C-alpha cells in the first residue's frame, strides 16, 4: 500500500524558514517524480514544485522560485521542501503527491497518490 | 503557464441528477488532463486521467471526455458520496496547473 506522510508544518513568522518532509512507502520511491502541492485556506489547489526520480531535475512555480528548494533522499524514501523567506501568502496546507511519471526525461504525469497534508501558517 | 478554467464554480444538484463540469485550457494540452475529487479536510483523489480513463476503483458513473482545450467530467447519476469539489489538472508540461474547482452541493 502506498503511503505518503508529511511532517514539519507549523506556525512561523514572516521571513522565517521551515522544512517539510514527506516519508514515502509502498512503492519504488526512486523511480518516480515527486511533487509539492499547496492549498490556501478555502482556496483551490496550486502546484508548487516537482523533482525527478533521480533528483537531477527540479522545477518551481514562479511565486516560490528563489525561496523554496525541493530535494529528495532516495536512500531514506523521503521528499523535502525547504521554505525560506516565508510570506503570509505561503500560508496553506502542503501536500506531497506522487507523480505517475519518472520525470527523468521530462515525462511528468498526473498525481496518483497524495499525502494527508501539513499546515504551514505564516503570521506574526 | 497554461491556465485552466472550470465552469461552473458551484453546482447545486440532487441525488440521481446527471451533472457535467467543464474545463477549458488556455492552449492545447492534447489529452493530458486529469480530474480529482476532494472532500473537506482530505487530500484530492484522482478520478480520471488522460481525459477519459477511469482510475482504478472509481465508479463507472464518472466519465471524462475531450481533447485539446475543452474537457468535461460527467457524473451520470449523482450519489450522496459525490458531493465534493472537483478539480481538473493539465499535465502537458512539468508545470502542472489546476482549474479553480467546482463545488457540487446539495440542491
Amino acid at each position: 500500500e502506498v503511503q505518503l506522510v508529511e511532517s514539519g508544518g507549523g506556525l512561523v513568522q514572516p521571513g522565517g524558514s521551515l522544512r517539510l518532509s514527506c516519508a514515502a512507502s509502498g512503492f519504488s520511491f526512486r523511480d518516480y517524480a515527486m511533487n509539492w502541492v499547496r492549498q490556501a485556506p478555502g482556496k483551490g489547489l496550486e502546484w508548487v514544485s516537482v523533482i525527478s526520480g533521480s533528483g537531477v531535475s527540479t522545477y518551481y512555480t514562479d511565486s516560490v522560485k528563489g525561496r523554496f528548494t525541493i530535494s529528495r533522499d532516495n536512500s531514506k524514501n523521503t521528499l523535502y521542501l525547504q521554505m525560506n523567506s516565508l510570506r503570509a501568502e505561503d500560508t496553506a496546507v502542503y501536500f506531497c503527491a506522487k507523480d505517475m511519471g519518472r520525470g527523468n526525461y521530462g515525462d511528468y504525469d498526473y498525481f496518483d497518490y497524495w499525502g494527508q497534508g501539513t499546515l504551514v501558517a505564516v503570521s506574526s | 503557464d497554461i491556465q485552466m478554467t472550470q465552469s461552473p464554480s458551484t453546482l447545486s444538484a440532487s441525488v440521481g441528477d446527471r451533472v457535467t463540469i467543464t474545463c477549458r485550457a488556455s492552449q492545447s494540452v492534447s489529452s493530458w488532463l486529469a480530474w480529482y475529487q476532494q472532500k473537506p479536510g482530505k487530500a484530492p483523489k484522482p478520478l480520471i486521467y488522460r481525459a477519459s480513463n477511469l482510475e482504478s476503483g472509481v465508479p463507472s458513473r464518472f466519465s471524462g471526455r475531450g481533447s485539446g482545450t475543452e474537457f468535461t467530467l460527467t457524473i451520470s447519476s449523482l450519489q450522496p458520496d459525490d458531493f465534493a469539489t472537483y478539480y481538473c489538472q493539465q499535465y502537458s508540461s512539468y508545470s502542472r496547473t489546476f482549474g479553480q474547482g467546482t463545488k457540487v452541493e446539495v440542491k
Side-chain angles (χ1 to χ4, degrees):
Chain A
E1 178 194 5
V2 172
Q3 284 199 322
L4 299 170
V5 180
E6 302 95 336
S7 61
L11 176 63
V12 61
Q13 292 188 338
S17 298
L18 215 52
R19 188 174 89 152
L20 306 183
S21 299
C22 172
S25 61
F27 66 101
S28 181
F29 182 70
R30 67 179 63 247
D31 285 342
Y32 293 93
M34 294 293 295
N35 299 267
W36 289 99
V37 177
R38 67 185 178 183
Q39 186 169 38
K43 302 297 184 182
L45 301 169
E46 180 186 25
W47 172 80
V48 173
S49 182
V50 63
I51 185 167
S52 62
S54 65
V56 170
S57 300
T58 60
Y59 299 98
Y60 303 89
T61 192
D62 286 347
S63 62
V64 309
K65 281 179 185 173
R67 299 189 300 123
F68 290 11
T69 302
I70 191 171
S71 62
R72 65 192 296 160
D73 185 335
N74 286 344
S75 69
K76 295 182 178 179
N77 289 352
T78 303
L79 173 72
Y80 302 101
L81 185 68
Q82 177 67 43
M83 303 185 296
N84 298 331
S85 302
L86 282 161
R87 307 166 179 168
E89 55 265 36
D90 295 319
T91 294
V93 172
Y94 284 72
F95 297 98
C96 67
K98 174 185 170 291
D99 207 298
M100 270 294 288
R102 296 171 182 259
N104 293 330
Y105 299 98
D107 54 330
Y108 298 100
D109 214 299
Y110 74 104
F111 308 153
D112 58 344
Y113 291 95
W114 298 63
Q116 83 289 351
T118 186
L119 176 62
V120 172
V122 184
S123 174
S124 54
Chain B
D1 284 358
I2 300 173
Q3 308 302 316
M4 306 300 291
T5 304
Q6 288 181 233
S7 61
S9 296
T10 306
L11 191 160
S12 299
S14 302
V15 172
D17 285 354
R18 180 183 180 88
V19 302
T20 296
I21 299 168
T22 299
C23 176
R24 289 185 173 88
S26 60
Q27 65 188 72
S28 177
V29 298
S30 186
S31 294
W32 304 119
L33 192 285
W35 290 94
Y36 300 86
Q37 177 194 67
Q38 187 182 32
K39 295 182 179 179
K42 300 293 187 182
K45 168 189 170 183
L47 299 174
I48 302 278
Y49 64 95
R50 210 168 296 170
S52 61
N53 293 271
L54 211 59
E55 186 77 2
S56 177
V58 173
S60 58
R61 61 181 180 272
F62 291 91
S63 64
R65 297 189 64 177
S67 66
T69 62
E70 188 152 337
F71 303 86
T72 58
L73 172 70
T74 297
I75 309 172
S76 60
S77 178
L78 197 67
Q79 298 302 300
D81 190 48
D82 301 337
F83 292 99
T85 300
Y86 294 84
Y87 294 91
C88 62
Q89 177 207 34
Q90 66 79 21
Y91 52 99
S92 67
S93 74
Y94 66 80
S95 180
R96 269 66 58 86
T97 46
F98 294 90
Q100 80 279 16
T102 295
K103 183 178 181 180
V104 177
E105 62 179 22
V106 177
K107 186 173 184 179

